[in-house]
Amino acid sequence: MNYHRDMFVRSDELETENIQASPSSKLTASEHRPLARARRAFGIVGSFFLGQGALQGLQILIGLLLVRRLSVEAYAQFGLAYGFQITMGTLMDLGFTSTIVPLVGEHRDNRQLVGRYVRAAKHLRDRTFWILAPVAAIAFLAIMYKHHWSWSIQIILVLSVLLTLYFSGRASYFSAPLFLFGKLRDFYAPQTATALGRLIAYVVCSLAGVLNAWIAAGLYALTVATNGTLLEKKARLYMEWPKDDDPSTNREVFRYILPAAPAIIFAAFQSQISLFLISIFGRTTNIAEVAALGRLGQLFAVLMTFNVVVVEPYIARLSRGRLLSIYLGIIAATAVFCIPVVLFAFTFPAPLLWLLGGNYKSLGSAVGWVVLAACINHLGGLMWIMNRSRRWLFWSGTILEIVLLLAVQVGFITIVGVHTTQQAVFFTFASSFCYVIAHGYVGIYGFMKGPRDIQSRTQTENT
């Protein structure tokens, strides 16, 4: 760090000499860095919307194709596998891959440091996969048992889920170096290509009349595996991969995420809890309806990805003096954006229902509440991402989040129940406020207390 600071001092001295020698150079010297930063910022944002727009558009087309072309039972099978994979993916990751950007922070030019943190995240993520994979397989089989689907379908779905879980971890921790250096083209190009190939494969299978749940799940798993392999190749260009695991770095990563781990474990089940509850208390039709309505929430995926790709690295490098105004400004801008979206969903649900197809045209009364819950959840997720980028992870925030969710959800199940699609939607809506309250509290506490000092504690233990 001192080395880079000395470089800047010497650069400033040279600029001062040039200013004294040539008055016309004063404008260039004073504006060069802000203009360079502005160009780079616009370049990153432009690359994001171009890349994410193409990728998100393909994913939306894929999702809508499956909703419209799969039978209700087949979509229930695929939707349950997809939701289970999201839950177990969060549980297995435990936030390890999200530690890379905050812990590297402004030291991204240290390629050895980046490599150490990525390897540490890989070590911890892979270990949890091998521990939890047998548990995941048994749990998923138990969930499917009630619906009396054939054993061949169940086994293929389980294998596709496990394959997706392993390679989704690889895609996550090898994406972090690309985010740190703003290499969004390297991040989006391979994923867009594989998504296009997946869409074409689905269309061909649909036209041939062979598209079903296990083909849909298998092609999805194959796409994730390909993405993980391609992203690893791109990421290795921006870091130096250590020969061996570094136990001290592993401990640092683990210590950093430890206060948030209970909430992450809890949230792993929360992300798809309405789908799991309706699979227990409802019918196969209800599973398909809840899963189909969940596709509407994917419209917000582009914003959440923007938070991870652009907002998190930016907030992590931001000076303390500018943090409060930008933190509040981003939250306010997001809330203002969500208002017309929610009003449109309540007033004109028909276009959104048309996207889902004729099998789900009776869900008009649920669309507005689904979108409103998605907006509230998005605000909570935005706060979480900004908080973790500043290393604001505290036990009190975790406890508050879990207690609030348990109180609200147990009360809802006891008083109302989750037996119908409408009840599942309101269950998700009621739960969404808990995340905003909990992460809002952590944000306030973080501004007052500051980040947790993980590195110094780790260094003290090593001395």
Side-chain angles (χ1 to χ4, degrees):
M1 188 63 182
N2 291 334
Y3 170 72
H4 293 293
R5 190 180 295 116
D6 291 341
M7 287 179 59
F8 292 142
V9 170
R10 288 194 293 270
S11 176
D12 293 338
E13 291 172 352
L14 290 174
E15 290 173 0
T16 303
E17 294 175 359
N18 290 336
I19 292 171
Q20 294 173 351
S22 175
S24 63
S25 65
K26 183 175 181 179
L27 183 63
T28 302
S30 61
E31 293 187 353
H32 175 69
R33 289 179 184 173
L35 288 175
R37 285 197 297 266
R39 284 195 297 267
R40 183 175 182 277
F42 280 115
I44 291 175
V45 172
S47 297
F48 169 80
F49 281 108
L50 181 62
Q52 184 65 27
L55 179 60
Q56 191 69 30
L58 288 170
Q59 290 176 343
I60 290 174
L61 288 175
I62 290 171
L64 296 177
L65 174 68
L66 293 178
V67 169
R68 298 171 73 92
R69 300 301 297 176
L70 288 176
S71 67
V72 172
E73 182 179 40
Y75 193 74
Q77 295 167 348
F78 175 79
L80 190 60
Y82 182 77
F84 185 82
Q85 172 263 315
I86 292 176
T87 295
M88 291 306 302
T90 305
L91 187 62
M92 289 180 179
D93 183 79
L94 278 177
F96 296 135
T97 59
S98 68
T99 64
I100 300 170
V101 171
L103 292 179
V104 173
E106 69 273 18
H107 305 292
R108 65 176 187 174
D109 292 328
N110 188 336
R111 299 163 69 89
Q112 293 180 338
L113 183 69
V114 175
R116 287 211 315 271
Y117 282 125
V118 174
R119 175 145 190 164
K122 179 182 185 302
H123 169 79
L124 295 169
R125 171 63 166 80
D126 289 354
R127 175 174 291 184
T128 57
F129 170 82
W130 293 114
I131 293 174
L132 294 178
V135 178
I138 295 172
F140 190 48
L141 287 171
I143 292 173
M144 291 188 292
Y145 179 76
K146 171 192 172 183
H147 300 280
H148 306 291
W149 297 330
S150 68
W151 276 107
S152 60
I153 288 290
Q154 295 186 48
I155 295 300
I156 293 175
L157 290 178
V158 167
L159 292 176
S160 69
V161 165
L162 294 178
L163 183 64
T164 301
L165 287 172
Y166 178 78
F167 281 99
S168 64
R170 176 175 291 187
S172 295
Y173 46 71
F174 282 118
S175 295
L178 304 180
F179 298 160
L180 282 167
F181 287 91
K183 302 299 181 180
L184 301 189
R185 182 178 299 177
D186 291 339
F187 174 72
Y188 283 116
Q191 295 186 87
T192 303
T194 57
L196 179 60
R198 181 182 167 210
L199 175 61
I200 293 173
Y202 282 155
V203 170
V204 171
C205 290
S206 177
L207 293 175
V210 297
L211 183 61
N212 54 35
W214 67 264
I215 287 180
L219 287 173
Y220 176 66
L222 181 61
T223 300
V224 174
T226 305
N227 288 339
T229 302
L230 294 176
L231 289 173
E232 178 180 0
K233 293 180 179 179
K234 296 289 186 181
R236 291 200 181 248
L237 299 175
Y238 305 103
M239 62 182 176
E240 293 185 18
W241 191 252
K243 294 182 179 179
D244 302 301
D245 286 320
D246 181 13
S248 63
T249 305
N250 295 343
R251 287 195 299 270
E252 182 183 346
V253 170
F254 183 78
R255 189 185 296 278
Y256 166 75
I257 205 64
L258 184 60
I264 292 173
I265 295 172
F266 195 67
F269 299 98
Q270 290 296 314
S271 63
Q272 301 292 321
I273 189 171
S274 60
L275 182 64
F276 296 148
L277 288 174
I278 205 67
S279 70
I280 295 172
F281 300 113
R283 298 171 301 170
T284 298
T285 302
N286 298 128
I287 298 176
E289 290 176 345
V290 172
L293 288 170
R295 288 291 178 181
L296 297 179
Q298 282 193 340
L299 300 175
F300 292 85
V302 62
L303 296 178
M304 187 56 70
T305 306
F306 180 82
N307 296 336
V308 175
V309 174
V310 178
V311 174
E312 183 174 22
Y314 175 67
I315 294 294
R317 299 192 301 267
L318 205 60
S319 65
R320 174 75 180 185
R322 301 174 58 202
L323 180 60
L324 178 60
S325 60
I326 293 178
Y327 186 99
L328 295 177
I330 291 175
I331 293 175
T334 303
V336 170
F337 171 82
C338 287
I339 291 173
V341 175
V342 172
L343 292 176
F344 177 85
F346 273 105
T347 309
F348 305 104
L352 297 176
L353 286 176
W354 177 83
L355 294 175
L356 300 181
N359 291 332
Y360 308 99
K361 60 184 179 181
S362 63
L363 300 177
S365 60
V367 169
W369 295 104
V370 169
V371 173
L372 178 57
C375 285
I376 298 172
N377 278 322
H378 177 72
L379 280 174
L382 172 63
M383 293 179 187
W384 153 249
I385 288 172
M386 291 196 292
N387 290 344
R388 79 185 186 190
S389 72
R390 303 298 297 191
R391 292 186 282 126
W392 296 345
L393 301 181
F394 308 107
W395 283 106
S396 57
T398 296
I399 294 171
L400 176 62
E401 180 179 339
I402 293 175
V403 170
L404 277 176
L405 280 168
L406 282 176
V408 170
Q409 292 179 349
V410 171
F412 190 98
I413 294 172
T414 302
I415 298 172
V416 181
V418 186
H419 304 284
T420 67
T421 301
Q422 193 78 12
Q423 290 173 342
V425 169
F426 281 117
F427 177 86
T428 302
F429 170 71
S431 302
S432 62
F433 291 96
C434 301
Y435 298 107
V436 173
I437 294 172
H439 296 311
Y441 158 79
V442 171
I444 295 172
Y445 191 70
F447 274 106
M448 296 172 58
K449 184 179 176 62
R452 293 167 54 237
D453 190 1
I454 306 299
Q455 293 179 339
S456 63
R457 294 178 62 182
T458 304
Q459 292 169 356
T460 301
E461 291 177 356
N462 293 337
T463 56

